[in-house]
């Protein structure tokens, strides 16, 4: 039931403090991660030459958000595959690969065809899905249910954030035998515990976001620049604007801004720049300066307290969001 909400997508957005909690329930104990579905397979995954993430749409973007911290915490190279493109190319998948399939429904045709392909090629196939009993859940060798609760909105919302959290727990579990990253793992685990309350905080921006959105109604296009952990946030933000607001939007690498997209910048085109605190922060500050020198119309997302650091001239619209562990920041920013 929709309750007091206008539609399911809105309800599911506001459910996230709860869905993030149910995703983590019973899986974080005494500073360790317990994923029943992966327990027997962790050794094989650690020995694999590569992790290949495979999905479509929002689920692909969630995997992209996870890529950096999976590489960081496991030391295993990660490659990304859009399911249909893997099939079109008949791209290489090997016995030594761990192929991770991400799908809210567990029934997306391209993802399932890519699963058949990876099974034929002998890879260890891991599922990450919201749907117990789905084809993906049944046909993979092992996996993790994200336990976000039924998602009715076609444009995925709460499943996206729960998928990222599950992949963070997966990376922590795979990397749990590494002493050198122990302090980092502890910091991420404490960040996971604080995510639901930070999600509640950021959802309080609802009416401010509605007011901001109404100022964009007449725009023909919206660019979103992100980098590092939040490149995926830029892609997923733009996907939602296309799919739900029916407006042209592109998510782009901020580091590629000067290699083409800069030509589009003028005082009319709205541009969101994601500049929350992480190792890329100073690079984003200089991107903002370059966009402003072209009179760009900027909406800057930054960490709470950073408004003057990202907008010294005071000419931009700023959205301040709670700061969490850098690799979990995409959950809050989206
Ligand atoms: C499981 C139970 C959960 C119970 C918990 C208690 C199920 C579905 N889950 O959760 O109700 O509270 O134990 O210990 O009964 N799998 C795949 N592919 C996928 C997803 C999952 O093969 O895409 C497999 C897993 O490898 C595992 C099983 O399905 O064997 C259940 O996965 P999951 O629900 O994530 O396991 P637990 O969190 O241990
Ligand atoms: C698309 C939906 O059709 O399927 C997207 O519009 C979704 O929102 C995509 O992300 C993939 O779905 P699933 O169930 O495989 O995550």
């Amino acid at each position: 039931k929709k309750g007091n909400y206008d539609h399911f997508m809105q309800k599911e957005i506001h459910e996230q403090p709860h869905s993030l909690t149910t995703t983590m329930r019973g899986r974080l104990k005494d500073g360790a991660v317990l994923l029943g579905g992966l327990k027997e397979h962790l050794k094989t995954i650690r020995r694999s030459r590569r992790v290949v993430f495979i999905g479509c749409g929002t689920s692909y973007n969630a995997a992209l958000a996870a890529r950096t911290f999976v590489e960081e915490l496991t030391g295993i190279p990660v490659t990304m595959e859009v399911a249909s493109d893997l099939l079109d190319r008949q791209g290489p998948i090997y016995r030594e690969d761990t192929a991770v399939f991400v799908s809210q429904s567990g029934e997306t045709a391209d993802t399932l065809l890519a699963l058949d392909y990876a099974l034929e090629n002998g890879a260890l196939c891991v599922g990450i899905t919201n749907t117990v009993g789905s084809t993906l859940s049944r046909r993979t060798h092992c996996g993790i249910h994200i336990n976000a609760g039924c998602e009715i909105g076609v444009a995925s919302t709460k499943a996206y954030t729960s998928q990222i959290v599950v992949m963070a727990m997966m990376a922590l579990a795979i990397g749990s035998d590494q002493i050198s990253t122990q302090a980092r793992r502890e910091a991420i685990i404490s960040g996971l515990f604080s995510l639901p309350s930070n999600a509640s905080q950021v959802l309080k921006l609802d009416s401010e976001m509605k007011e901001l959105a109404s100022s964009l109604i007449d725009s023909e296009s919206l660019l979103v620049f992100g980098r590092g952990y939040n490149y995926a946030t830029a892609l997923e933000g733009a996907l939602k604007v296309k799919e739900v607001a029916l407006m042209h939007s592109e998510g782009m690498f901020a580091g590629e801004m000067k290699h083409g997209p800069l030509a589009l910048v003028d005082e009319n085109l709205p541009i969101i720049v994601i500049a929350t605190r992480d190792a890329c922060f100073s690079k984003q500050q200089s991107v903002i300066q370059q966009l402003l020198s072209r009179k760009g119309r900027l909406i800057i997302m930054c960490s709470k307290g950073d408004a003057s650091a990202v907008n010294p001239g005071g000419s931009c619209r700023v959205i301040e969001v709670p700061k969490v562990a850098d690799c979990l920041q995409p959950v809050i920013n989206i």
Side-chain angles (χ1 to χ4, degrees):
K1 289 209 181 106
K2 292 201 292 279
N4 293 328
Y5 296 101
D6 296 335
H7 42 74
F8 282 107
M9 185 180 169
Q10 186 188 34
K11 171 173 179 267
E12 287 159 4
I13 287 169
H14 287 273
E15 249 167 43
Q16 287 175 101
H18 178 68
S19 54
L20 291 168
T21 303
T22 58
T23 296
M24 291 187 274
R25 185 166 292 148
R27 290 168 162 176
L28 295 172
K29 275 195 193 129
D30 308 324
V33 176
L34 302 168
L35 294 170
L38 285 195
K39 218 170 42 199
E40 310 292 319
H41 302 267
L42 284 176
K43 276 195 184 138
T44 315
I45 298 173
R46 284 179 191 136
R47 278 199 304 264
S48 54
R49 295 261 290 274
R50 177 173 76 142
V51 168
V52 187
F53 276 125
I54 303 167
C56 304
T58 293
S59 292
Y60 174 89
N61 290 341
L64 189 63
R67 177 189 201 172
T68 310
F69 61 69
V70 172
E71 287 182 329
E72 181 194 343
L73 293 172
T74 70
I76 307 170
V78 178
T79 58
M80 300 296 309
E81 294 285 358
V82 170
S84 60
D85 184 55
L86 174 67
L87 294 164
D88 290 346
R89 291 178 8 255
Q90 296 283 293
I93 298 283
Y94 301 113
R95 294 181 63 81
E96 300 80 11
D97 288 335
T98 294
V100 180
F101 294 84
V102 186
S103 172
Q104 189 285 130
S105 62
E107 301 296 349
T108 300
D110 287 327
T111 305
L112 294 178
L113 288 169
L115 170 61
D116 290 342
Y117 176 75
L119 287 168
E120 278 163 25
N121 284 279
L124 174 71
C125 293
V126 179
I128 294 179
T129 182
N130 198 25
T131 317
V132 176
S134 60
T135 311
L136 183 70
S137 174
R138 286 184 284 109
R139 280 206 213 142
T140 41
H141 295 118
C142 59
I144 312 162
H145 291 114
I146 68 168
N147 300 337
C150 182
E151 187 175 69
I152 292 174
V154 171
S156 185
T157 55
K158 64 176 180 172
Y160 178 76
T161 49
S162 284
Q163 284 165 343
I164 296 174
V165 164
V166 156
M167 287 183 267
M169 292 191 292
M170 181 183 79
L172 291 164
I174 299 169
S176 63
D177 62 337
Q178 298 182 10
I179 293 163
S180 62
T181 53
Q182 190 168 339
R184 172 74 167 149
R185 286 199 307 275
E186 285 165 8
I188 296 171
I189 290 175
S190 92
L192 284 169
F193 279 117
S194 75
L195 267 188
S197 61
N198 281 298
S200 297
Q201 284 303 313
V202 80
L203 288 167
K204 290 186 184 152
L205 295 173
D206 202 38
S207 50
E208 189 185 327
M209 290 304 102
K210 273 187 198 157
E211 184 263 315
L212 174 57
S214 63
S215 73
L216 300 174
I217 276 176
D218 295 325
S219 301
E220 280 181 6
S221 182
L222 174 67
L223 299 188
V224 193
F225 282 125
R227 71 197 308 150
Y229 293 117
N230 285 291
Y231 172 55
T233 309
L235 291 195
E236 175 58 11
L239 179 62
K240 282 290 171 288
V241 172
K242 283 182 269 211
E243 196 176 11
V244 181
L246 314 184
M247 181 198 278
H248 173 255
S249 184
E250 289 300 323
M252 295 180 180
F253 270 124
E256 281 286 285
M257 189 239 345
K258 53 183 177 290
H259 305 300
L262 196 57
L264 291 172
V265 179
D266 63 15
E267 61 274 27
N268 299 315
L269 174 68
I271 302 174
I272 297 179
V273 182
I274 303 167
T276 43
R277 281 278 172 171
D278 59 23
C280 297
F281 181 68
S282 62
K283 291 185 187 171
Q284 285 303 71
Q285 283 179 304
S286 74
V287 163
I288 290 166
Q289 287 315 314
Q290 290 175 59
L291 291 170
L292 286 177
S293 69
R294 299 278 178 117
K295 300 196 167 40
R297 178 180 165 195
L298 305 191
I299 299 159
I300 303 171
M301 178 182 290
C302 68
S303 304
K304 214 164 247 169
D306 266 347
S308 53
V310 296
N311 184 27
S315 60
C316 309
R317 181 75 195 241
V318 175
I319 306 166
E320 289 186 67
V321 298
K323 183 173 178 298
V324 295
D326 52 8
C327 65
L328 302 174
Q329 195 66 48
V331 171
I332 298 304
N333 292 359
I334 194 62

